[in-house]
Amino acid sequence: MNTQPLVSVIIPNYNHAPYLRQRIDSVVHQTYRNFEVIILDDHSTDNSMEIINDYNDNKHISRIVSNEQNTANTFLQWEKGFSLSNGDLIWIAESDDYADVHLLEKAVAEFNDNENVVLTLFHSQLIDADGKEINTDYDKRSPQKKTTWNGTDFVRKRCCFHNSIYNASMTVFKKKAIEQVNPYYLQLKHCGDWAFWTEIAMQGDVVEIPQKLNYYRQHNNNVTKHGIKSEQAFFENAKIMTYLSEKLKLTPYQKKCLKGKMSKKLKNAKQSQKQLIQEFPDIYDGKLLDKIIYTIDKIFDFSSLEFNKQ
């Protein structure tokens, strides 16, 4: 790879006006300078476009695209960004997050040092809507020193039961790897990122850098925050885990353990059902989680699923 690869930074936005300036500034001020920025607005109803247009003259901004209609699909916005990008590397910089200015510099160095690297992964500091740090640490059980994983081992150990790449902003990856990604992820409303990252990771090496250079914002409009509690998310989880069990050629015993973990997760969710009903009365009627648990054996039969079809 060229010592100065072009990085395409994709900023997909929808109604994140309060956070946009901090996000865009944290990108355009990166210490690594060979990058372009593609800003995609999914027909925001706030003043996002007013803020975005303030950056029209910045030399790094290559494209600003505003949809005439809202797609309600983050992953379709990703796809649009990929099609418009010119870089060897991609960074999806979510519009409500921000980054340390050294993130790209450190990421690019890993690709330059090892041509087999397909994805670099940083740890994240959680912040609230006001930018204050949250004590919750999603990376406390992750390696605390830089680790180079074989991509398949990374998926087997870190992404088989849950998605260790919990925020797109924490990764930089090779654009050419997208060609081998199963497009089924575009149909997954809640877990498409999980499917996408596993497909990218298994194409080479993954470098995990235990520095919190990504700032992952938690707020009321956070899509992930609501999605993990929905019925559809549970079903998508089961489908992805089933797909991975076949992709990774897990043994019958390993499959049984995976199924047991999923069932435990669902039962724990059932115990919290009263709280879920209070928080999401339009989604939970008191019977949906019972329905999911009842049908988990059918979902988790490890047979051929739609996910396996191109």
Side-chain angles (χ1 to χ4, degrees), residues 21-291:
R21 290 194 189 279
Q22 185 176 31
R23 160 44 87 200
I24 298 174
D25 286 344
S26 78
V27 170
V28 299
H29 294 138
Q30 287 290 305
T31 55
Y32 182 82
R33 302 306 293 164
N34 192 26
F35 64 89
E36 64 169 352
V37 181
I38 301 166
I39 303 178
L40 306 174
D41 186 78
D42 201 11
H43 198 69
S44 292
T45 56
D46 61 8
N47 65 322
S48 286
M49 283 307 302
E50 178 183 340
I51 295 170
I52 291 170
N53 286 330
D54 285 345
Y55 292 84
N56 248 325
D57 296 331
N58 187 285
K59 66 178 183 179
H60 289 289
I61 308 296
S62 64
R63 299 290 294 270
I64 294 176
V65 181
S66 178
N67 290 340
E68 294 184 0
Q69 294 183 330
N70 178 256
T71 66
N73 188 321
T74 299
F75 308 123
L76 287 178
Q77 289 293 87
W78 287 14
E79 281 284 294
K80 178 181 287 188
F82 300 156
S83 69
L84 296 173
S85 65
N86 299 300
D88 305 301
L89 303 174
I90 301 284
W91 176 25
I92 302 172
E94 301 285 6
S95 56
D96 50 346
D97 303 325
Y98 74 95
D100 183 281
V101 294
H102 299 287
L103 186 147
L104 276 186
E105 178 184 348
K106 291 180 178 291
V108 170
E110 299 301 329
F111 290 98
N112 286 338
D113 288 346
N114 180 356
E115 64 180 12
N116 293 324
V117 173
V118 70
L119 181 148
T120 58
L121 168 66
F122 295 94
H123 289 181
S124 300
Q125 173 62 57
L126 271 62
I127 56 174
D128 64 17
D130 298 321
K132 296 179 181 177
E133 294 186 359
I134 298 173
N135 289 331
T136 303
D137 187 358
Y138 286 173
D139 304 303
K140 62 183 178 181
R141 295 183 179 178
S142 302
Q144 297 305 304
K145 63 179 181 178
K146 189 174 80 170
T147 303
T148 299
W149 300 83
N150 168 275
T152 300
D153 288 342
F154 174 80
V155 172
R156 182 181 288 111
K157 295 177 181 179
R158 303 292 309 284
C159 295
C160 204
F161 178 60
H162 64 278
N163 184 15
S164 290
I165 304 178
Y166 50 84
N167 177 227
S169 302
M170 65 198 292
T171 72
V172 178
F173 61 97
K174 282 183 177 176
K175 179 181 178 179
K176 68 178 183 180
I178 299 170
E179 298 173 4
Q180 302 301 318
V181 172
N182 191 321
Y184 182 73
Y185 84 94
L186 294 168
Q187 301 175 35
L188 302 176
K189 182 177 180 181
H190 302 288
C191 303
D193 56 338
W194 186 0
F196 180 84
W197 297 126
T198 57
E199 296 265 317
I200 293 288
M202 286 189 284
Q203 295 182 54
D205 290 343
V206 173
V207 178
E208 183 168 3
I209 303 172
Q211 296 180 36
K212 294 186 182 296
L213 303 186
N214 176 54
Y215 292 82
Y216 179 28
R217 197 180 305 271
Q218 308 293 293
H219 55 88
N220 290 335
N221 292 328
N222 187 295
V223 175
T224 304
K225 181 178 178 181
H226 293 286
I228 58 175
K229 295 184 177 181
S230 76
E231 178 193 26
Q232 184 178 353
F234 281 123
F235 278 109
E236 288 185 8
N237 267 249
K239 285 187 175 183
I240 292 174
M241 291 165 68
T242 303
Y243 166 72
L244 288 176
S245 73
E246 295 299 326
K247 187 86 171 179
L248 297 171
K249 296 180 171 54
L250 299 185
T251 66
Y253 176 75
Q254 289 172 324
K255 290 179 180 180
K256 184 176 180 180
C257 291
L258 196 61
K259 176 180 172 182
K261 287 184 177 181
M262 184 66 179
S263 296
K264 183 178 179 180
K265 182 178 181 180
L266 290 169
K267 288 176 182 177
N268 288 339
K270 184 174 184 292
Q271 292 171 3
S272 303
Q273 198 172 81
K274 289 184 179 180
Q275 180 181 350
L276 291 174
I277 293 170
Q278 291 174 354
E279 292 184 10
F280 301 96
D282 55 329
I283 297 177
Y284 291 96
D285 60 6
K287 298 179 181 179
L288 290 182
L289 287 176
D290 285 327
K291 173 186 172 185

